[in-house]
Amino acid sequence: MTESEFIATHRQELRRGTVVLACLLALREPGYGYALLDELAGAGVPVEANTLYPLLRRLESQGLLASEWDTSEARPRKFYRTSAQGAAVARQLQTEWDELTTALRQLDLDQGDNE
Amino acid sequence: MTESEFIATHRQELRRGTVVLACLLALREPGYGYALLDELAGAGVPVEANTLYPLLRRLESQGLLASEWDTSEARPRKFYRTSAQGAAVARQLQTEWDELTTALRQLDLDQGDNE
């Protein structure tokens, strides 16, 4: 594995953990899956459609997202929003993320002087 | 899956992505695997021994860690340090982490007003 392959793999691993949290945060304003793809990519958390759509269905089945059908157009579209439970979960995952950020910063500072 | 199981699963997923980065940062000061377990737990990135030891060997085989045997005691102990390449990879993963932190904060702010 070359250095750049290694970085790509681990970058992917860092991102994977953020996708659920990013969806729960973004969908506090209701949105379509397609618009969410754009929004996440724009925010810097790009996700593939074939990863995102099953994830949205899974989060809905877990009660963290709610959905409704918009039938005002010729082709009905499903839109999602974060449930109260989903917002509470997002809050806890955000706290976890902040704690990890602090931990990484601390490890960086602890050892940085010895390089 | 209950809410607390869900959070535990996703907390684990967030953490998994940080372990490689945490090791590369911490081992810029050379250390034994055992001491690293304590250090990571103390910093807030707890890792199981049976996860950490294979990871250290893998990072060594990838050239991101170097190792030496300390034979000054009755029982030889291997200690690891982050290689120059490993430090460069750590720097890039840290940048990626910071970008994800910014992305999550942005998604939080964008939608927070609409709750």
Side-chain angles (χ1 to χ4, degrees):
Chain A
M1 195 184 274
T2 66
E3 181 174 328
S4 64
E5 284 169 345
F6 181 88
I7 290 169
T9 300
H10 282 277
R11 179 173 287 158
Q12 200 52 42
E13 199 165 274
L14 287 179
R15 284 187 183 174
R16 191 164 30 229
T18 67
V19 175
V20 165
L21 175 53
C23 288
L24 294 177
L25 290 175
L27 289 170
R28 290 178 300 169
E29 180 174 7
Y32 306 104
Y34 184 80
L36 183 61
L37 279 175
D38 278 352
E39 185 182 351
L40 293 178
V45 191
V47 186
E48 302 276 341
N50 58 14
T51 299
L52 184 66
Y53 294 141
L55 174 64
L56 294 177
R57 286 193 292 272
R58 182 162 65 82
L59 293 174
E60 184 185 8
S61 75
Q62 292 168 336
L64 302 178
L65 295 178
S67 74
E68 282 177 58
W69 286 95
D70 173 1
T71 54
S72 63
E73 309 266 333
R75 187 169 162 231
R77 293 188 300 177
K78 195 176 186 178
F79 67 95
Y80 290 94
R81 62 175 173 78
T82 302
S83 68
Q85 192 189 6
V89 165
R91 205 47 62 210
Q92 290 184 65
L93 293 177
Q94 182 93 56
T95 299
E96 176 70 19
W97 181 272
D98 290 343
E99 287 171 1
L100 287 170
T101 300
T102 303
L104 291 171
R105 195 152 298 153
Q106 194 55 50
L107 287 168
D108 197 7
L109 291 174
D110 284 350
Q111 310 308 334
D113 297 337
N114 303 300
E115 276 184 295
Chain B
M1 194 184 276
T2 67
E3 180 174 326
S4 64
E5 285 169 342
F6 181 89
I7 290 169
T9 299
H10 282 278
R11 178 174 287 159
Q12 200 53 42
E13 199 165 274
L14 287 180
R15 284 187 183 175
R16 191 163 32 226
T18 68
V19 176
V20 165
L21 175 53
C23 289
L24 294 177
L25 290 174
L27 289 170
R28 291 178 300 168
E29 180 175 5
Y32 306 104
Y34 184 80
L36 183 61
L37 279 176
D38 279 352
E39 185 182 350
L40 293 178
V45 190
V47 185
E48 302 275 342
N50 59 14
T51 298
L52 184 66
Y53 295 142
L55 174 64
L56 294 177
R57 288 193 290 272
R58 182 161 65 82
L59 293 175
E60 184 185 6
S61 75
Q62 291 168 337
L64 302 178
L65 295 178
S67 74
E68 281 178 59
W69 287 94
D70 173 1
T71 55
S72 65
E73 308 266 334
R75 187 166 162 233
R77 293 189 299 177
K78 195 176 187 180
F79 67 94
Y80 289 95
R81 61 176 174 76
T82 302
S83 68
Q85 192 189 5
V89 165
R91 206 46 62 211
Q92 289 183 65
L93 292 178
Q94 182 92 57
T95 300
E96 176 70 18
W97 181 272
D98 291 343
E99 287 171 2
L100 288 169
T101 300
T102 303
L104 291 171
R105 195 151 299 152
Q106 194 55 50
L107 286 168
D108 197 6
L109 291 174
D110 284 350
Q111 310 307 335
D113 298 337
N114 303 301
E115 275 185 295

